[in-house]
Amino acid sequence: MNKLEKANEFIKKNKEKVTSRPYFHFTPEVGWMNDPNGFTFYQGEYHLFYQYYPYDVVWNDMHWGHATTNNFIHWNYQPVAMANDKIYDANGCFSGSAIEKDGKLYLMYTGHIDPNLGFDRDETQIIEQQCVAFSEDGIEFEKYLNNPVIGDKELPEGYMICDFRDPKVIEVNGVYYCVLAVRNEQRRGEIIMFKSNNLLDWTFHSSIYQTHLEENTLLECPDLFRIDDKDVLIFSVMPCDPEYKEEVIQNTIYVIGEMDYEKGIFHAENRGLLDYGYTFYAPQSTEGKNGERLLIGWMHRWHQTTPPKEYGFNGMMSLPRQLSIEGEKLIQQPFIDKEKYFKPSIKEERVQLGVEETFEIKNKDVGYLHISVPTSNTKRFSVELNKNEAKSTCIEIDVENNRISFSSDYGSKDRINISDFSNEKEDMTLEFLMDLHSIELFINSGEKVVSFTSYDQDKGKNISIYGREQVELKQIIYGEFRSG
């Protein structure tokens, strides 16, 4: 039995053991999952591939898992697309992307070689190269005979092949471009670009984004796309070396600007944080069915509390987000049919709360909560989710000073502070999408977003809105999740 058959056979025998899945966030059929890969719309449905180890709930030899959907609520698990069964990917089929060409679906990924599998890192033994696989039906994939297609011969001097990964392929005016993360000889992160006419023969084009030495960062999982008349570059940030792990926060950045493909130059204009939480990483985008730009990310933090082993899975994806640009900001809104999947059970208008007065919603822990408040005469209030007698996740809203603070008695205990919202809007809006193990908060229709995950089993089931000063809530809507 080869590695691919072995993985699929194991999943078949063990998938029924998985418990406590979230209701509307994607999880692996069994085992470990991290980065989204190959996110694309192909042959009438959305395909999501992902970094995958089916045999345990911890990271190990990376395979490519695969699932398809039409609505991002109901998913069809497909057979594992790739396993690490070649010399050039012996220790993992690492992250990459997908693109359609001549009716076929091409996957481009990083073939990872590391005899120690990352547990005792020796850079002299690690090789990362870019490889291709293709499929006629989007389900069964064949690896290209002449892999790798971008290796040490194509990588210019001054870059380290031990950290050279995460290809994102795009097509512009009939030419293919690939952006990649790499560590330079100063041990800092860069994003470089390669160019091809056929997806198989690649040449180095340019370096399009560099970090400063003092930032002490490595960049991962780059993405480059166009929205309206602007180009957007996305990358995830991690410490460039273990000695900087306490000072560099792993998060994801977007940069709005102009990409000159002919010259290979990215002109950066505005930069922002994609998600203010600590559990959103390595997102990948695709063009949707109707031309929308959609994004999905991995909801996890490497050192956070993991799910109980008896759950049988580890890792979730965020809800898909539709992206747009307003002024200098990237806007993100949940790309699911809220009216179809969340049935309103509470709808209140003009709720007045005095100091220390509360509005309670009992026994509601999975659903959609919408709150709007007028910015002119509201000062401070808080929202507590998953509340019981002793614990909650608390979001403190200071409308007057344009600040929100997010903290929790579950999962990560780090406080999240968000500020500098648009103050031109008549109302501030808060949209909470609450699932069994996560909360996603969209502020002011996606001006800023916070993701939070927690696998704690003792979470409460109540919601409390608490007036810290005299408060007028313009509207409160709660919708219970329904699967169809």
Side-chain angles (χ1 to χ4, degrees):
M1 186 180 295
N2 64 36
K3 279 194 170 184
L4 207 58
E5 292 172 339
K6 181 182 176 183
N8 287 312
E9 187 63 25
F10 179 88
I11 294 166
K12 184 179 179 180
K13 289 181 178 179
N14 290 275
K15 62 183 180 181
E16 300 303 326
K17 300 176 184 177
V18 173
T19 64
S20 300
R21 288 190 186 279
Y23 289 87
F24 52 90
H25 284 78
F26 179 79
T27 55
E29 203 163 10
V30 62
W32 167 275
M33 176 182 73
N34 55 286
D35 304 2
N37 298 152
F39 184 33
T40 190
F41 186 77
Y42 176 71
Q43 292 189 354
E45 57 187 349
Y46 291 96
H47 291 248
L48 178 65
F49 302 85
Y50 45 93
Q51 292 287 276
Y52 188 39
Y53 185 66
Y55 303 107
D56 202 346
V57 294
V58 296
W59 185 92
N60 207 297
D61 280 335
M62 284 294 98
H63 298 51
W64 269 41
H66 184 197
T68 55
T69 187
N70 283 307
N71 53 33
F72 296 103
I73 298 293
H74 304 110
W75 292 85
N76 296 311
Y77 292 106
Q78 303 295 346
V80 175
M82 292 191 294
N84 56 317
D85 53 11
K86 303 294 183 183
I87 294 174
Y88 50 78
D89 60 20
N91 302 111
C93 298
F94 275 23
S95 291
S97 56
I99 193 167
E100 183 177 353
K101 179 179 180 290
D102 301 327
K104 295 181 180 180
L105 188 61
Y106 284 75
L107 306 181
M108 192 169 185
Y109 70 100
T110 298
H112 182 74
I113 300 173
D114 178 6
N116 298 314
L117 199 60
F119 299 111
D120 184 17
R121 184 176 171 88
D122 181 351
E123 292 179 352
T124 64
Q125 298 187 52
I126 299 172
I127 299 173
E128 294 189 332
Q129 304 172 101
Q130 317 318 316
C131 308
V132 166
F134 51 88
S135 172
E136 299 276 358
D137 61 2
I139 304 298
E140 296 184 357
F141 288 86
E142 177 183 347
K143 294 178 181 177
Y144 179 48
L145 185 63
N146 294 322
N147 277 335
V149 296
I150 306 177
D152 57 350
K153 294 180 181 178
E154 291 77 22
L155 184 64
E157 291 185 10
Y159 296 110
M160 302 172 66
I161 202 163
C162 63
D163 285 302
F164 174 46
R165 56 183 174 270
D166 310 333
K168 178 62 190 287
V169 182
I170 55 177
E171 182 269 327
V172 180
N173 298 325
V175 178
Y176 297 99
Y177 297 89
C178 176
V179 288
L180 282 144
V182 69
R183 186 197 297 261
N184 59 33
E185 60 187 356
Q186 287 78 40
R187 302 189 63 79
R188 300 306 188 264
E190 284 190 35
I191 297 173
I192 58 178
M193 176 178 279
F194 285 75
K195 185 177 179 180
S196 174
N197 291 317
N198 60 7
L199 289 177
L200 301 175
D201 302 298
W202 294 87
T203 57
F204 178 78
H205 191 40
S206 65
S207 173
I208 68 168
Y209 195 89
Q210 307 84 35
T211 61
H212 298 294
L213 189 69
E214 61 273 16
E215 291 176 328
N216 301 321
T217 56
L218 189 64
L219 310 181
E220 294 192 301
C221 303
D223 199 346
L224 180 62
F225 50 86
R226 193 163 183 83
I227 297 178
D228 298 328
D229 61 347
K230 291 293 181 181
D231 294 298
V232 182
L233 177 66
I234 285 177
F235 49 84
S236 292
V237 175
M238 66 177 294
C240 66
D241 279 303
E243 63 188 282
Y244 302 111
K245 66 180 181 179
E246 299 300 327
E247 64 182 68
V248 175
I249 297 174
Q250 290 177 270
N251 55 26
T252 302
I253 302 295
Y254 71 82
V255 185
I256 299 173
E258 294 284 348
M259 181 70 215
D260 185 331
Y261 285 93
E262 185 175 339
K263 295 180 180 179
I265 299 173
F266 181 75
H267 300 278
E269 297 173 2
N270 302 298
R271 172 174 164 145
L273 193 58
L274 201 63
D275 193 292
Y276 284 77
Y278 299 128
T279 55
F280 184 84
Y281 197 76
Q284 189 167 102
S285 79
T286 189
E287 183 177 296
K289 179 180 180 180
N290 298 310
E292 316 94 332
R293 178 55 52 173
L294 306 180
L295 183 84
I296 196 166
W298 175 43
M299 296 183 75
H300 185 79
R301 191 178 185 185
W302 283 104
H303 57 274
Q304 76 174 142
T305 303
T306 57
K309 191 174 179 67
E310 60 266 26
Y311 283 7
F313 78 92
N314 190 352
M316 297 179 290
M317 295 299 177
S318 71
L319 292 174
R321 304 174 182 180
Q322 182 172 347
L323 306 182
S324 60
I325 295 176
E326 290 184 9
E328 301 178 350
K329 296 179 180 179
L330 188 67
I331 304 299
Q332 307 169 76
Q333 295 180 304
F335 189 73
I336 55 173
D337 190 338
K338 294 194 293 288
E339 291 185 4
K340 180 175 182 179
Y341 295 111
F342 296 94
K343 180 182 179 181
S345 59
I346 295 172
K347 187 173 183 180
E348 298 286 341
E349 309 282 347
R350 302 293 179 184
V351 176
Q352 304 285 337
L353 293 179
V355 179
E356 298 186 358
E357 286 187 348
T358 61
F359 180 90
E360 304 285 347
I361 303 176
K362 300 290 188 181
N363 296 315
K364 306 295 184 188
D365 62 336
V366 175
Y368 169 77
L369 175 64
H370 171 97
I371 301 172
S372 64
V373 297
T375 56
S376 59
N377 60 351
T378 298
K379 293 186 178 180
R380 295 193 306 141
F381 68 102
S382 62
V383 179
E384 292 184 277
L385 308 175
N386 292 128
K387 182 176 173 59
N388 58 28
E389 291 183 0
K391 296 181 178 181
S392 72
T393 294
C394 182
I395 299 90
E396 299 178 25
I397 301 98
D398 184 343
V399 180
E400 184 178 31
N401 294 301
N402 243 0
R403 291 197 297 259
I404 291 179
S405 176
F406 190 111
S407 61
S408 183
D409 297 315
Y410 310 109
S412 169
K413 302 301 189 292
D414 297 331
R415 179 176 290 271
I416 302 166
N417 295 305
I418 314 115
S419 58
D420 300 325
F421 305 107
S422 298
N423 53 15
E424 301 172 356
K425 297 181 180 180
E426 182 180 335
D427 298 327
M428 171 184 278
T429 60
L430 305 170
E431 292 180 276
F432 300 89
L433 286 138
M434 303 171 291
D435 207 341
L436 195 59
H437 310 301
S438 65
I439 298 167
E440 290 181 81
L441 167 59
F442 294 80
I443 304 166
N444 285 349
S445 300
E447 177 188 339
K448 297 190 178 182
V449 187
V450 182
S451 295
F452 175 79
T453 64
S454 163
Y455 291 101
D456 298 54
Q457 295 174 292
D458 63 342
K459 291 196 291 289
K461 297 181 179 294
N462 300 318
I463 299 170
S464 176
I465 304 172
Y466 176 83
R468 296 182 177 273
E469 297 184 27
Q470 196 79 21
V471 174
E472 177 186 296
L473 304 178
K474 187 174 181 179
Q475 188 177 63
I476 302 172
I477 299 173
Y478 181 82
E480 297 182 15
F481 175 71
R482 54 186 179 185
S483 61

